[in-house]
Amino acid sequence: MPPALHHPTVDVALLTESRYAATSAAPHDWYLRNILRDDELLQNALAELGLSSVRLDWAAPDVDWSTFRCAVFRTTWDYFDRISEFHAWLRRVQAETRLCNAPETIWWNLDKHYLVDLRARDVPVVPFQLLEPDAPQNLHDLLDAAGWEEAVLKPCVSGGARHTYRVHRDAADTLQERVRPLLAAESFLLQPFIRDVVQTGEDTVMVVNGRVTHAVRKVPKAGDFRVQDDHGGTVHHLDPTQEHVELAQRAMAACDPVPSYGRVDMVRDKHGNLVVMELELIEPELWLRHHPPAAHAFAQAIAEHLQ
């Protein structure tokens, strides 16, 4: 194994993954270009505070993480496909340098079982049922008992709509056979299908140090329910209402410890009320390019994390 690479003059490691570790993007690669633009804004804001930074693949084998004052999760968007490797890496690196967000936050937010805690702390969340691999359950029976005509099934450890399915009660038995090996291998989350997602979109509110910086609305392409741009979804500016702000801050305040940065994905339920779909606290897309001042708030949060 080659000797570890040292970065003795760099304060902050911005964690990415091998697919996005390049320093420039091809003209047609809008996806990487967006990533690099967001990180450029953050790096410039850090520099204004006197903090140096470098983008690094979290899984690079030759990095001495102890040489950094802090490692900040940015675009580690392959961790859920390499979860055992990521767990081992996280256990090692949290002992070698400071992490932002804090290790306790990362471990908690890795698994959607955290929704149980949010619900217990009186944060309004989309209703859900947990399907554990050691207690296989019938999808049709679950939908029938809950009174849900349609639902969304997704893994408790996931991202980018991995193994995410929209299921109608009449087709539940067919999907059950298709996903049986998956249900036997890992925990899944079953939630009612929120029609407002396809009618209006999913609202995402960015929160830094407990304060809302900006918001966007993610809209799925026609005929789909997945809002990720990987699947053809589009992102639009959103002026957050007081309702957005209050729910986002309430959700973040329910975390222990309170995250330095993150986002709250929310939708309107059948009664028209905003409820939390997910908290993204590990490697949230923050759309800094949509609101550059947020990069300065983010940099300040990192600086305070170092104090």
Side-chain angles (χ1 to χ4, degrees):
M1 179 181 294
L5 293 181
H6 292 261
H7 299 269
T9 62
V10 180
D11 296 302
V12 180
L14 300 180
L15 302 175
T16 185
E17 50 148 302
S18 59
R19 290 177 295 176
Y20 313 127
T23 56
S24 62
H28 64 279
D29 194 346
W30 60 269
Y31 197 87
L32 178 57
R33 189 165 62 249
N34 285 343
I35 290 172
L36 293 176
R37 177 56 179 156
D38 271 21
D39 278 354
E40 178 186 33
L41 288 167
L42 178 57
Q43 289 187 280
N44 289 342
L46 286 169
E48 291 180 13
L49 295 177
L51 295 173
S52 56
S53 60
V54 63
R55 302 176 68 250
L56 289 172
D57 175 11
W58 70 269
D62 53 358
V63 177
D64 181 357
W65 297 103
S66 68
T67 61
F68 296 97
R69 296 177 63 195
C70 182
V72 180
F73 291 84
R74 291 293 295 128
T75 50
T76 57
W77 294 339
D78 62 347
Y79 80 86
F80 42 81
D81 292 320
R82 309 163 64 180
I83 193 64
S84 295
E85 181 183 356
F86 184 77
H87 282 175
W89 175 87
L90 184 57
R91 282 192 292 268
R92 175 171 58 85
V93 174
Q94 70 182 45
E96 297 178 358
T97 192
R98 191 171 301 186
L99 298 180
C100 187
N101 284 309
E104 301 93 326
T105 299
I106 302 300
W107 285 110
W108 179 72
N109 194 231
L110 271 173
D111 190 307
K112 291 180 177 61
H113 282 79
Y114 70 79
L115 290 170
V116 174
D117 294 330
L118 286 185
R119 186 170 60 185
R121 296 166 190 170
D122 295 324
V123 175
V125 299
V126 174
F128 64 88
Q129 297 192 36
L130 292 165
L131 282 66
E132 305 295 358
D134 58 350
Q137 301 176 66
N138 182 274
L139 292 176
H140 184 278
D141 292 346
L142 289 171
L143 291 175
D144 198 44
W148 301 340
E149 283 297 318
E150 281 191 285
V152 172
L153 180 71
K154 54 188 168 184
C156 285
V157 177
S158 187
R162 180 183 78 92
H163 294 325
T164 297
Y165 303 94
R166 179 178 176 179
V167 53
H168 193 278
R169 195 188 306 181
D170 292 341
D173 290 340
T174 300
L175 180 63
Q176 181 93 33
E177 290 305 310
R178 182 179 175 187
V179 301
R180 190 178 301 277
L182 300 175
L183 295 176
E186 57 183 308
S187 299
F188 271 74
L189 192 73
L190 188 69
Q191 296 177 303
F193 182 76
I194 304 297
R195 193 150 299 280
D196 192 56
V197 171
V198 296
Q199 294 174 340
T200 305
E202 181 181 290
D203 294 346
T204 287
V205 181
M206 270 55 72
V207 183
V208 178
N209 267 358
R211 297 178 63 86
V212 169
T213 59
H214 62 297
V216 298
R217 174 165 289 166
K218 299 174 291 182
V219 179
K221 71 177 182 181
D224 206 333
F225 69 98
R226 297 168 298 182
V227 298
Q228 293 85 356
D229 50 15
D230 316 52
H231 300 288
T234 54
V235 178
H236 307 268
H237 173 78
L238 176 68
D239 290 320
T241 65
Q242 188 61 31
E243 187 183 7
H244 286 106
V245 171
E246 289 177 357
L247 179 56
Q249 293 180 339
R250 180 178 175 183
M252 286 293 191
C255 303
D256 184 20
V258 175
S260 294
Y261 68 101
R263 76 175 209 231
V264 184
D265 293 343
M266 56 185 74
V267 294
R268 291 199 179 275
D269 64 15
K270 63 182 181 181
H271 304 294
N273 300 314
L274 283 175
V275 292
V276 173
M277 176 73 79
E278 290 188 37
L279 291 186
E280 296 281 357
L281 308 178
I282 301 175
E283 28 60 67
E285 168 71 90
L286 296 177
W287 292 280
L288 301 177
R289 60 194 178 276
H290 284 231
H291 189 72
H296 296 276
F298 192 4
Q300 185 62 46
I302 294 170
E304 293 177 13
H305 194 74
L306 290 172
Q307 295 175 0

